[in-house]
């Protein structure tokens, strides 16, 4: 095979490869949601409040302990589970209690959930509790949201921004 034939064959193979890549870059069309649907994503990672307050050890307790273990404060590490409730148009959409992670149950509670729903205007109510010692939900947010077809609404929790955020 002469040099010109090799170059032509190589160019032909490159063109075929480019055509295949070009086709799959534009087709088939991918739609992450049907045309009349919207998406709500619940995504957060949050550490609940400590289950018990720290307490001061008495001098007698400290005297009984080995010298290297004499911390003046006794603090349990276990954290509260995080409870979340979401209502959509007055009906329950999601109820969940996320336990703390970690062997000592001292890590963050993490939740990720997706909800596909019809596009349009909806009444959204979100309640969030990170303290089992309180009877009610510490954070609440109720809002009318308008979701366009294909739109994604993210529900997050950020204590520094005042609690429940809708993005």
């Amino acid at each position: 095979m002469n040099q010109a034939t090799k170059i032509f064959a190589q160019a032909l193979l490159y063109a075929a490869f480019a055509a295949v890549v070009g086709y799959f870059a534009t087709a088939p069309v991918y739609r992450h949601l049907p045309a009349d649907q919207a998406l709500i994503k619940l995504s957060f990672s949050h550490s609940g409040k400590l289950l018990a307050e720290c307490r001061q050890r008495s001098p007698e307790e400290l005297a009984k302990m080995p010298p290297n273990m004499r911390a003046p404060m006794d603090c349990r590490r276990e954290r509260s589970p995080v409870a979340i409730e979401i209502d959509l148009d007055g009906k329950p959409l999601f109820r969940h209690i996320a336990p703390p992670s970690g062997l000592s149950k001292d890590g963050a509670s993490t939740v990720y959930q997706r909800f596909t729903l019809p596009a349009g205007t909806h009444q959204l109510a979100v309640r969030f509790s990170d303290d089992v010692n309180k009877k009610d939900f510490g954070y609440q947010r109720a809002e009318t949201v308008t979701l366009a077809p294909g739109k994604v609404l993210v529900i997050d929790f950020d204590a520094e921004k005042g609690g429940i955020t809708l993005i």
Side-chain angles (χ1 to χ4, degrees), residues 9-55:
Q10 187 176 9
L12 189 62
L13 290 173
Y14 280 131
F17 178 72
V20 169
V21 170
Y23 172 76
F24 284 113
T26 59
V29 176
Y30 173 75
R31 300 187 77 107
H32 73 285
L33 290 172
D36 61 340
Q37 299 287 303
L39 184 68
I40 293 179
K41 288 184 181 181
L42 168 65
S43 176
F44 71 86
S45 183
H46 177 69
S47 297
K49 305 283 188 221
L50 291 172
L51 282 179
E53 296 291 324
C54 294
R55 70 172 187 84

Side-chain angles (χ1 to χ4, degrees), residues 100-117:
S101 60
L103 293 175
S104 300
K105 298 186 184 210
D106 60 344
S109 300
T110 303
V111 174
Y112 177 79
Q113 192 73 35
R114 295 168 42 117
F115 309 100
T116 303
L117 55 133

